[in-house]
Amino acid sequence: MIYSRYIRREPLISMEASIVSEPAAAKAYRVLENMIVTLELAPASFVTEGSLIERLALGRTPVREAIQRLAWEGLLDVRPRAGIAIAPLHPGDWLRVLDARRGVEVVLARSAARFVTREAADLFHEAALAMQKAVISGNVLAFIQADKALDEALALAADNPFAARLAAPLQTHSRRFWFRYKADTGLAESAEHHVALIRSILDGDEEGAAKDAKKLMALLRGHAEVAATR
């Protein structure tokens, strides 16, 4: 049990339960983002605003706000009279995403180790437990959700909204590339690197957290280099 030292034994509020109470716009964003990351909305395909509104059943305004946010993040391209294009996936772009992401991840990791609160620690514990369960069951979709939850815990713990806002879309793009090119073989290895980062953060080890963030980025970059040669 690679997470046993860092998982609380008392019950936690589940990630699913927290999603239920989300505002409609936030829920629309989360659902659409997940559909893009997991390729349910295929790269380079086209959809319409109306079809997304019908699919999500959350109303026009929340879905429109989510579309605008995802367009700003580069995951959608809104084309008047042509529809909404889902961002394509070019393997070489994964390297560019990771080059941009590496520095800010180190900043977030250091800051999280310095400022982590009990609330953030609880989120790390819950995300780690979800990741562990996903590895054991081989559930890639659950692993993706746990990875997203871990990134949100990191953003909260770091107490640096500027760095968190910069990192979030890069994390989403990277998660999408990972799902496309490494999800079939990368669960356990990725989990080991994530738990090392969690360990350093919860121990308040700023230098260790920075090193673990760099190691995680190096692991992902290795995957991206392989994908770029395909």
Side-chain angles (χ1 to χ4, degrees):
M1 290 288 217
I2 60 176
Y3 300 105
S4 59
R5 180 182 170 191
Y6 296 95
I7 297 173
R8 296 195 319 165
R9 294 308 176 188
E10 62 267 28
L12 292 169
I13 298 173
S14 69
M15 286 184 284
E16 291 82 359
S18 66
I19 290 173
V20 171
S21 61
E22 281 184 317
K27 185 174 182 180
Y29 172 83
R30 184 180 291 272
V31 173
L32 281 177
E33 182 200 52
N34 188 65
M35 291 168 68
I36 294 169
V37 166
T38 60
L39 312 184
E40 186 176 344
L41 293 175
S45 65
F46 279 83
V47 294
T48 65
E49 181 183 277
S51 68
L52 294 179
I53 291 170
E54 181 178 357
R55 196 165 179 174
L56 271 63
L58 290 171
R60 180 176 299 277
T61 298
V63 173
R64 182 167 290 175
E65 289 179 8
I67 290 170
Q68 291 172 345
R69 180 177 170 186
L70 289 162
W72 180 84
E73 293 177 350
L75 292 160
L76 298 176
D77 183 11
V78 181
R79 302 179 183 180
R81 296 181 296 279
I84 301 169
I86 312 302
L89 269 178
H90 303 301
D93 285 343
W94 195 3
L95 291 168
R96 297 181 178 91
V97 168
L98 291 170
D99 285 345
R101 183 182 172 191
R102 181 177 183 273
V104 72
E105 289 289 342
V106 173
V107 170
L108 288 171
R110 283 183 181 276
S111 188
R114 186 184 313 154
F115 298 118
V116 64
T117 62
R118 179 59 184 268
E119 178 186 3
D122 285 350
L123 293 177
F124 278 123
H125 289 307
E126 185 177 2
L129 178 58
M131 191 171 283
Q132 179 192 29
K133 289 180 177 178
V135 170
I136 292 172
S137 64
N139 188 331
V140 176
L141 295 178
F143 187 91
I144 285 287
Q145 291 176 352
D147 185 66
K148 170 73 171 176
L150 194 156
D151 287 337
E152 291 175 344
L154 183 64
L156 176 64
D159 193 29
N160 186 334
F162 303 99
R165 288 170 188 156
L166 178 62
L170 296 171
Q171 291 165 342
T172 301
H173 280 282
S174 184
R175 196 174 293 115
R176 185 174 181 237
F177 278 108
W178 182 89
F179 184 86
R180 168 62 180 84
Y181 293 107
K182 194 59 183 177
D184 56 339
T185 60
L187 289 187
E189 186 179 32
S190 180
E192 290 288 353
H193 280 70
H194 281 90
V195 77
L197 177 59
I198 291 172
R199 180 184 300 117
S200 293
I201 290 172
L202 296 184
D203 285 347
D205 182 356
E206 293 182 40
E207 289 302 318
K211 289 179 182 178
D212 289 327
K214 290 176 183 177
K215 288 178 182 178
L216 177 58
M217 292 301 103
L219 173 71
L220 293 174
R221 202 175 202 288
H223 298 332
E225 288 171 350
V226 173
T229 64
R230 294 181 180 178

